[in-house]
Amino acid sequence: MPKVTIDGFSIDVPEGTTILQASRILATEGKMPDAHVPPAMCYYTKLKTSGGYCRTCIVKVSKGSEKDPRPMPKPVPSCRQTVMDGMEVQNLTAPDLLEARAGVVEFLLINHPLDCPICDQAGECHLQDLSYENGNAGTRYEFARRTFDMIDIGDKIKLHMNRCILCYRCVKTAEQITDGRVHGVISRGDHAEISTYIEQAIDNDFSGNVIDVCPVGALTDRTFRFKSRVWFTKPMDAHRKCDKCCGKTAVWLSGNDVLRVTARKDKFGEVEDWICNECRYDKKQIGDWTIEGPRKIERHSVISQNHYESLRQLKVDISNQKKLLEVAHVADIKQN
Amino acid sequence: MPTKLLLNNEHIPGINTLQVYRNNGGYASVEKALKQMTPEAIVEEVKISGLRGRGGAGFPTGMKWSFLAKPAGVPRYLVCNADESEPGTFKDRYLMEKIPHLLVEGMITSSYALGCNTAYIYIRGEYFYVSRILENAIAEAYAAGYLGSNILGTGYNLNLYVQVGGGAYICGEETALLESLEGKRGNPRIKPPFPAIAGLYGCPTVVNNVETIAAVVPIVNNGGEAYSKIGIGKSTGTKLISASGHINKPGVYEIELGIPVEEFIYSDSYCGGIRNGKQLKAVVAGGSSVPVLPTELILKTAAGQPRLMSYESLSEGGFQTGTMLGSGGFIVMDEDTSIVKNLYTFTRFYHHESCGQCSPCREGTGWMEKIMHKILDGHGTLKDVDLLWDIQSKIEGKTICPLGEAAAWPVAAAIRHFRHEFEAYVMQPSSIKDVKHYYRLNNIEPIPA
Ligand SMILES: Cc1cc2nc3c(=O)[nH]c(=O)nc-3n(C[C@H](O)[C@H](O)[C@H](O)COP(=O)(O)O)c2cc1C
Ligand code: SF4
Ligand code: FES
C-alpha cells in the first residue's frame, strides 16, 4: 500500500486513493487535526466524476514519489490527484500554497453577493467557512457583481444563481441519483448558470438532495426558507419507516416544531445517505419521527458555536492542541 | 529557394481537385503506406522525423502516437483538430482551403499508422465554407477508392467525417473538442486520463493539428530521415507561419524552422518589412497566448544571439526574456501600436472564451478585462497595474486546462516588458482621448455597469 505524508502526518492507503481521501482518513482516525484536511467545495464522494472544478483543495506536492522524488511543478487538486508511494504533500505548511488558495477564495467571492445576513445557508455554509479560514478580510474587486434572476425549481426548491459557485454537484446529483436528467449548465465563462429544463422542473422522488449537496445558499428548501436561522434550531437524529429511502434523517427543531428535514451529514459536509422527498418535505410533524437524540455537528462553522456537541467531544486532547498551535502559527505567517 | 513540403503546389490551378492533386504526386503516401509499410514502420518514421505537434504545444508527434493504447476489441480514433481559433493564427484554414486533399491524404496515412477505422476532422463553425471544400475532397477520395472499405484493395477500411463546431475557442482544447464531438457541452475534461488512453467515446484517441497531419505526407513519401535534416536541432521540418499586423506582406508562409526572426520580418520572401516605413515595436510570435516581446528581445536573445524561428530559440530565456513558437501566429506591431489597447483586446477575448468550469479562469479572466477596460477609460491607477499582475499570477497553474495560462501569460508579458506604457496610461489619461473612436472602430460595446 502506498504511503503518503501530509503536512508531516503519514498513512498507508490503498492504491488509487486521492490525497484528499487520505487526509480525511488521517483526520477521521484522529492521526491528524481536522484543520489539515484541504477544503473541498466541489468534490463529493458519492458523486462520480465530481471534483476538479473549484480548485480550493489544491495542495503542493513537494515530493512526487519514492521512485520519482521530483516535486510537482504546479499545485494539484487533492480531490483528483491519487497518491503514490512515498509522496509528500504540503497543505498548511506551505505559505505559497496558502497564498494560492487565498487567491482561489478571492475568485470565488468576487461575484458572490455576500448576502449572508439574508441567506438561509448562513451558519452552515461551506463558502463562509472557506473564506473565514482561507480568505482575506477585504476585497480588491470594485466592479458590479454579476446577477441572475431567482428561479423556482418546482415548488420546493429555490435556485439563487447569484450565490452559485458552479461546483457542478447538483448537476451530477441530477444525473446520477434522480431519473431523467433535467439539470445542467448553460452559457459560458462567468455567465454560466445552472439551469433546469424549466417546463419539466425537477419532479422525482430524490430531487431534494440537490439542496443538501449545494455547498452554498444557491439551492435552498422552500419549505424552510426564512423560517429560522439554522443556529436557532436544534438538529436531532431521527428516523421513520420509509419504503423509498433509508428513512434516517436529521430533523431541525424549534421547540416541538419540525422546521426542516435534511440528510445526515458527516464532518466533511457530505450526506451519509440520500433521503427521499417525502421524508424531506412532507413529514413535518414531530409525531412522524422517532427522535434518537441530539445530532453532533462536527463542522467548524458558526453552527458549531451552539451547544450540541456531546461532552465527549469537548474533552481536550493535549497532543492535538499542540498541533493546532502549530497550525495557528502557520496562519500567522500567512497574515504577515 | 527555401524548402517547401506542404505549400509547394499551392499555386497550381485546380490543385483543390483530386485529379490535379494526384497528377502532382498526390496520394503517393497512401499508396506507399498501405501497400509497402506496416503501421509500426510509419510510426517509427514519424519518430525519426522529429515532427512536433503544430497545434501549439510542440509535443513530439511520434511519441504521442506510440502512447496510444491498443486494447483488443476496442476501436481507436484519429481526430484532426481544425478548430483554429487562436487570435493571429490562420494557417490551417489556408491549407485546407487551398489543398484540401493534403489533409485528407494525411488523415488516411495517419489513420492507417494508428490502426483507426474511423477518423474525424473537427472544424470550427466559422470555417463553414471550408468544411464544404473538405467534404467535396472527401467525396472525391471515396469515389477514387482512397476511403471506404478495402482501400486500394489492401483490405484496410477507413471512414472519414467532418464535424463542424459551434465556434468556441475552448473547443480547440483537445478534450473539450472530444466532448463537443460527442455532442456534449465543450468543457475540457479533467486529466488524467489522457485521450491516448480514454478519448472519444472513452476509446483511445489521438488528436492532432491539421498541419501536423499534413506533415505526415512528406514524411512517409521521403522518409523521416530526410524530414529531420530540414530545420535546426529539435525543431525539424517546415512550419506554416500566419503573419499578420503592420507588415508589408501579411499572409501564410511556409518556412524552414531555424531562419532568423529578423530575416522573416524584413526579407521580401516573407513579411517584407514594417509597412509605411515605420519601426518595429513588438511581436507576439506564436498566437495571442504567448508572451509579447519588444524589438530588442525578439530580434536577439538576452544573450545577444540572433533569435531564430524555432521552438528552442524562441523560448530561450524562459518567460523572462523569451516567448514560444506556439501555433505560429506571428503578430507584428509597429511603433504606433498601444500595447495597453492590444492587451485589452486579448483580455476581452479570453474572458469571452473561458468555459467557466474552474474558478480562477472563470472569475479571473472577467476581472482582468474589467480592469483593462477601466485603465483604457482613463480611470486606472498604478495599483490596478499591480493588481493585474497579481491576478494573472493567481490564475496561472491553477486551472483545469491551459486556457487559464493562455489568458495569464499575455498580461504578464505586457506588464513585464511594457510597464512604462501602463504607467503612462494611468497617469495621463488625456493620452487616450481616442478611446471612443477606438470602440466605434472595433465595434466594442461598453461593458454594462
Ligand atoms: C484553449 C486551447 C485552444 C486550443 N486550440 C487549438 C486549435 O485551435 N488547434 C489546434 O490544433 N490545437 C489547439 N489547442 C491545442 C490542443 O489542445 C492539442 O494540444 C493539439 O490539438 C494537439 O495537436 P498537435 O500535437 O498536433 O499539436 C488548443 C489548446 C488550448 C488549451
Ligand atoms: S481554464 Fe478556463 S477554459 Fe479551461 S477548464 Fe478552466 S474555466 Fe474552462
Ligand atoms: S474540491 Fe477539489 S477542485 Fe473542488
Side-chain angles (χ1 to χ4, degrees), chain B residues 52-61 64 79-86 89 91-92 124 169-175 177 188 191 207-213 289 327 350 401-404 406:
Chain B
R52 294 169 67 171
R54 305 296 195 219
F59 192 80
T61 306
K64 187 175 194 166
V79 178
C80 171
N81 188 343
D83 193 63
E84 193 170 57
S85 322
E86 177 104 342
T89 311
K91 64 185 175 76
D92 296 343
R124 70 182 286 202
Y169 173 58
I170 191 57
C171 289
E173 196 281 334
E174 54 188 9
T175 56
L177 185 154
K191 289 168 266 191
V207 182
N208 270 135
N209 176 254
V210 172
E211 190 189 343
T212 316
I213 288 174
S289 308
S327 59
Y350 288 107
C401 86
L403 190 140

Side-chain angles (χ1 to χ4, degrees), chain A residues 259-303:
Chain A
L259 292 189
R260 84 173 165 162
V261 181
T262 66
R264 297 181 186 175
K265 294 186 185 177
D266 64 17
K267 69 169 155 191
F268 305 111
E270 297 194 8
V271 307
E272 288 165 9
D273 264 309
W274 306 114
I275 62 168
C276 70
N277 287 359
E278 190 182 329
C279 289
R280 184 185 301 274
Y281 302 127
D282 301 335
K283 300 294 167 194
K284 294 285 182 82
Q285 301 299 324
I286 189 100
D288 293 332
W289 297 98
T290 310
I291 305 286
E292 297 168 15
R295 172 151 191 84
K296 291 178 297 206
I297 301 293
E298 292 183 278
R299 299 233 347 272
H300 28 181
S301 64
V302 188
I303 192 172

Side-chain angles (χ1 to χ4, degrees), chain A residues 51-55 74 99-100 103 106-108 111 140-142 144 146 165-166 168 185 187-190, chain B residues 168 185 187 190 351-355 357-360 362-364 367 370 374 387 390 394 398-400 449:
Chain A
Y53 303 113
C54 72
R55 316 311 271 190
K74 300 175 186 174
E99 161 109 25
E106 181 173 33
F107 287 134
L108 283 176
N111 275 306
R140 298 182 291 174
Y141 188 74
E142 48 174 348
R146 80 171 160 251
I165 59 159
L166 284 168
Y168 281 68
V185 175
S187 298
R188 197 164 65 190
D190 59 8
Chain B
R185 182 185 160 86
N187 276 358
I190 297 163
H351 174 210
H352 188 254
E353 298 298 337
S354 162
C355 85
Q357 272 192 115
C358 51
S359 335
R362 176 181 69 237
E363 307 293 348
W367 195 1
K370 291 197 177 89
K374 178 184 166 193
L387 182 56
D390 193 55
K394 286 189 164 142
K398 283 141 205 108
T399 56
I400 295 176

Side-chain angles (χ1 to χ4, degrees), chain A residues 122-287:
Chain A
E124 53 177 13
C125 174
H126 290 239
L127 190 58
Q128 276 185 327
D129 295 349
L130 182 78
S131 28
Y132 282 136
E133 286 159 18
N134 301 282
N136 298 321
T139 177
R140 298 182 291 174
Y141 188 74
E142 48 174 348
F143 304 98
R145 284 159 201 258
R146 80 171 160 251
T147 53
F148 299 91
D149 290 337
M150 264 186 273
I151 298 174
D152 289 332
I153 303 182
D155 59 345
K156 298 293 197 310
I157 305 173
K158 192 77 154 181
L159 169 57
H160 209 306
M161 189 59 214
N162 288 353
R163 297 174 184 153
C164 174
I165 59 159
L166 284 168
C167 69
Y168 281 68
R169 281 180 184 175
C170 59
V171 177
K172 294 186 193 281
T173 309
E175 226 169 43
Q176 294 171 25
I177 73 161
T178 69
D179 33 78
R181 169 179 172 168
V182 281
H183 227 73
V185 175
I186 54 168
S187 298
R188 197 164 65 190
D190 59 8
H191 310 293
E193 60 181 299
I194 301 294
S195 134
T196 53
Y197 180 25
I198 301 284
E199 289 92 296
Q200 303 206 344
I202 288 197
D203 180 23
N204 62 56
D205 283 343
F206 282 83
S207 60
N209 288 293
V210 298
I211 300 169
D212 282 345
V213 299
C214 181
V216 298
L219 290 166
T220 48
D221 182 345
R222 289 180 68 194
T223 67
F224 176 63
R225 233 168 116 74
F226 302 139
K227 287 263 170 66
S228 170
R229 310 273 21 178
V230 284
W231 57 88
F232 294 139
T233 62
K234 282 191 228 152
M236 295 284 181
D237 279 343
H239 65 265
R240 64 181 277 270
K241 240 189 142 95
C242 178
D243 46 15
K244 294 190 188 124
C245 69
C246 62
K248 291 189 197 132
T249 64
V251 298
W252 301 71
L253 302 177
S254 169
N256 268 342
D257 296 335
V258 178
L259 292 189
R260 84 173 165 162
V261 181
T262 66
R264 297 181 186 175
K265 294 186 185 177
D266 64 17
K267 69 169 155 191
F268 305 111
E270 297 194 8
V271 307
E272 288 165 9
D273 264 309
W274 306 114
I275 62 168
C276 70
N277 287 359
E278 190 182 329
C279 289
R280 184 185 301 274
Y281 302 127
D282 301 335
K283 300 294 167 194
K284 294 285 182 82
Q285 301 299 324
I286 189 100

